[in-house]
Amino acid sequence: MSDFCPQSHGLRTFAIRRGFFRAGDARHINKLGDKKMAIKVGMVSLGCSKNQVDAEIMLARIRDRGFELCTDAGSCDVVIVNTCGFIEDAKRESIENILEFCTLKKEGRIKAVVVTGCLAERYQQEIQEEIPEADVILGIGSMDKIVEAIDKALVGKKVVSFGDKCSLPLEGDRIISNLPFFAYIKVAEGCDNFCSFCAIPMIRGRYRSRTMESIVEEARKFARHGVTELNLVAQDTTKYGMDLYGKQMLPELLEQLCEIEELRWIRVLYCYPERIDDALLDVMAREPKIVKYMDIPLQHASAGLLRKMNRHGSGEEYLELIQKIRRKIPGITLRTTLIAGFPGETEEDFETLCRFVTQARFERLGCFAYSQEEGTRAGEMEDQIDDEVKQRRVDALMDLQYSIVQQQNEAMLGKTLEVLVEGYDRYASSYYGRSYMDAPDIDTKIFFTSPSPVKAGSFVTVRVEDVIDYDLLGVIEQPEGSGV
């Protein structure tokens, strides 16, 4: 059974306090200009890339209000924790961060603590009652009130607001909080799939797409400011446009994005298997700017368990889909996520999953122990699996995947890859970056040496010469850009 139950344990009991807060744990915030502001605001944004987009919209509004954005927690007047509330580990991390900043406030080092995001939305009453030190608590539908809330908090007023989920801004000016040459674009918000294990529809609301015009305009703006890689995200990108246009519009959207001259890579994340059709595969195969990479969260391969998850398909159907994708798009990298220890998962179900992974041979795979979430149908199921069994199955599956990746990486030896340079690792005395096979933040890196300096954001050709665990090592062959 899950350790997390706010009603019985409480948020403070749930969180294991750290002895210190490392400012480096926060996402990097780009400080624009040298103008000195009277009030400094910092943010820690946790969880997924979709949450990061929300954070970047809030940061732009805060900057436009005249506040100074700051990365040093101890130097901030106001700290915002943009929380994740998806699964147990994410909730724990969010609570730890909130409590750490409340401690800094108690010590007089900061003036106000602001809590936003999914945890705030999901546990509205619990956060108010158990973390009264938080000066501002904004739910998903009230994040557009961030500036007004900070103003009130700075004069000693408590702000608690939970607006309609549909009021969450889907677009707006943003401050990119990662490396400046790639960006996430959220094409839709919410979810209508109602998987039995997932709380996202409860937290984020129903599926709602942005207009194609707004997405393309945002992409053009990013491209004009040096972004060369776009990563399209939503809870289900393949459903994009159904609510606005009456049909899946991802292929048409991709075609329009490919017309933006400055863009080099366009990546599609979070594709549901039953919505991957010929139109999508054809445009991915045809357009060179669309990287040959697809993230398909399958969750399991047992038909019985998939039905309990309120998912469609079976291991056999998924294998047919995988074969079709690889036939239409040679060289594509396929990523998936799986759940081990879902309620009622038998040893036979798990063996089915392992056989599926062996046959599918995914290039990228993540497996997570099932997290029992209150408010979900799966959370109420009686046949829960012991934590020890769940973790044993996760470990076994990841060991299996590791052996597959090792074979795949060894087959890369001597080959060349186009690499987007991300930086220089002085400990490894190597540059590092990503190929088309690797999405930012979640996949592996390629480390390489170069006889002359190369700059972050440039594309270079790297010959693979060695493998260490999941990562590739190589030597630069053809730098596209040079300089420090």
Side-chain angles (χ1 to χ4, degrees):
M1 186 173 180
S2 171
D3 291 334
F4 188 81
C5 180
Q7 291 77 14
S8 60
H9 294 281
L11 297 175
R12 289 183 180 272
T13 304
F14 176 73
I16 300 174
R17 298 292 303 279
R18 292 196 302 264
F20 61 97
F21 173 80
R22 295 174 295 169
D25 289 344
R27 292 192 180 277
H28 301 293
I29 299 174
N30 294 333
K31 183 178 176 181
L32 301 183
D34 296 323
K35 187 178 180 182
K36 301 299 182 183
M37 305 297 180
I39 299 296
K40 296 181 179 181
V41 179
M43 178 183 287
V44 177
S45 188
L46 304 169
C48 67
S49 54
K50 298 177 286 293
N51 209 36
Q52 180 181 333
V53 172
D54 297 339
E56 292 172 349
I57 292 175
M58 285 191 286
L59 287 173
R61 294 187 177 196
I62 292 165
R63 174 205 59 195
D64 293 346
R65 170 63 174 80
F67 295 114
E68 179 181 352
L69 301 179
C70 161
T71 58
D72 180 8
S75 301
C76 290
D77 298 292
V78 180
V79 177
I80 303 165
V81 184
N82 190 36
T83 61
C84 179
F86 183 43
I87 60 175
E88 185 173 336
D89 288 345
K91 291 181 284 191
R92 188 187 306 276
E93 182 183 21
S94 294
I95 297 165
E96 287 175 357
N97 273 277
I98 296 169
L99 295 179
E100 289 290 351
F101 286 121
C102 287
T103 298
L104 293 183
K105 177 190 169 187
K106 184 178 180 181
E107 295 171 352
R109 296 172 62 185
I110 59 177
K111 294 182 175 67
V113 176
V114 178
V115 181
T116 62
C118 291
L119 189 82
E121 179 69 29
R122 188 173 182 185
Y123 298 107
Q124 301 178 6
Q125 194 64 34
E126 291 82 1
I127 291 181
Q128 294 178 65
E129 294 175 353
E130 300 191 39
I131 311 182
E133 306 97 314
D135 301 276
V136 175
I137 304 170
L138 298 181
I140 293 295
S142 295
M143 289 163 68
D144 60 335
K145 297 180 173 61
I146 184 66
V147 170
E148 295 87 345
I150 292 174
D151 284 338
K152 291 178 181 178
L154 287 170
V155 295
K157 295 182 180 179
K158 179 95 171 183
V159 180
V160 177
S161 179
F162 301 98
D164 188 324
K165 293 177 175 61
C166 292
S167 298
L168 174 68
L170 298 185
E171 56 196 71
D173 288 341
R174 290 164 53 188
I175 294 179
I176 296 179
S177 57
N178 44 245
L179 295 170
F181 42 82
F182 77 86
Y184 296 99
I185 287 192
K186 184 161 56 171
V187 301
E189 180 56 82
C191 188
D192 288 343
N193 292 322
F194 297 101
C195 300
S196 65
F197 55 82
C198 183
I200 292 298
M202 175 174 60
I203 299 171
R204 291 273 178 172
R206 301 297 296 267
Y207 194 91
R208 50 200 185 277
S209 302
R210 293 174 58 183
T211 66
M212 192 175 301
E213 292 78 11
S214 73
I215 296 170
V216 173
E217 177 54 35
E218 182 175 42
R220 291 188 187 280
K221 184 185 300 184
F222 281 144
R224 289 194 297 268
H225 288 85
V227 169
T228 55
E229 178 188 4
L230 284 184
N231 297 273
L232 305 188
V233 296
Q235 202 62 32
D236 177 358
T237 53
T238 38
K239 192 177 180 179
Y240 169 72
M242 280 292 296
D243 52 327
L244 289 182
Y245 306 108
K247 67 173 184 173
Q248 295 177 187
M249 293 291 286
L250 183 58
E252 287 85 345
L253 174 61
L254 289 170
E255 288 179 334
Q256 290 200 29
L257 292 174
C258 287
E259 295 176 2
I260 301 175
E261 183 177 353
E262 300 92 337
L263 292 180
R264 183 80 165 256
W265 284 355
I266 300 170
R267 190 182 304 274
V268 181
L269 300 172
Y270 316 126
C271 300
Y272 271 61
E274 61 269 26
R275 297 195 180 96
I276 297 173
D277 56 16
D278 287 336
L280 176 59
L281 296 179
D282 288 343
V283 73
M284 291 187 68
R286 182 174 65 248
E287 295 288 353
K289 288 187 178 183
I290 304 174
V291 295
K292 308 317 180 217
Y293 177 105
M294 185 176 284
D295 184 351
I296 315 172
L298 296 177
Q299 312 304 352
H300 215 281
S302 163
L305 275 189
L306 286 166
R307 285 193 295 272
K308 288 185 69 174
M309 292 179 176
N310 196 34
R311 305 278 295 196
H312 303 281
S314 66
E316 291 78 13
E317 292 173 353
Y318 290 166
L319 285 174
E320 291 178 4
L321 174 63
I322 290 166
Q323 291 169 2
K324 178 180 180 179
I325 294 172
R326 286 179 170 151
R327 185 173 62 251
K328 279 182 165 286
I329 312 174
I332 191 169
T333 290
L334 294 180
R335 176 181 177 84
T336 195
T337 49
L338 303 172
I339 295 174
F342 187 82
E345 182 187 57
T346 64
E347 288 294 338
E348 182 179 356
D349 290 326
F350 182 65
E351 290 172 5
T352 297
L353 183 58
C354 289
R355 284 195 302 271
F356 170 73
V357 169
T358 300
Q359 294 173 296
R361 299 186 67 79
F362 291 99
E363 287 78 15
R364 304 287 182 264
L365 181 148
C367 182
F368 304 93
Y370 165 73
S371 178
Q372 184 181 7
E373 297 299 315
E374 66 276 14
T376 65
R377 282 175 291 161
E380 301 299 321
M381 294 178 182
E382 296 181 355
D383 44 359
Q384 302 290 325
I385 306 294
D386 290 341
D387 288 343
E388 183 179 343
V389 174
K390 289 191 285 190
Q391 192 57 52
R392 174 176 58 80
R393 291 176 179 175
V394 169
D395 293 342
L397 200 58
M398 291 311 298
D399 286 344
L400 174 60
Q401 176 63 15
Y402 180 75
S403 66
I404 293 171
V405 171
Q406 285 297 101
Q407 295 171 22
Q408 293 172 338
N409 281 346
E410 289 172 4
M412 295 297 299
L413 296 177
K415 296 183 178 180
T416 59
L417 290 169
E418 182 182 47
V419 173
L420 173 57
V421 183
E422 292 187 318
Y424 183 80
D425 187 326
R426 60 189 180 92
Y427 296 106
S429 299
S430 297
Y431 293 94
Y432 62 90
R434 294 179 288 108
S435 74
Y436 78 94
M437 300 185 293
D438 301 298
D441 300 325
I442 58 175
D443 289 325
T444 58
K445 303 288 186 185
I446 298 176
F447 292 85
F448 64 94
T449 57
S450 173
S452 58
V454 293
K455 61 182 179 181
S458 62
F459 287 83
V460 299
T461 301
V462 173
R463 185 178 71 252
V464 179
E465 293 192 336
D466 203 355
V467 176
I468 294 183
D469 294 329
Y470 287 95
D471 296 320
L472 300 176
L473 307 181
V475 176
I476 195 168
E477 281 204 340
Q478 183 184 347
E480 182 181 282
S482 62
V484 294

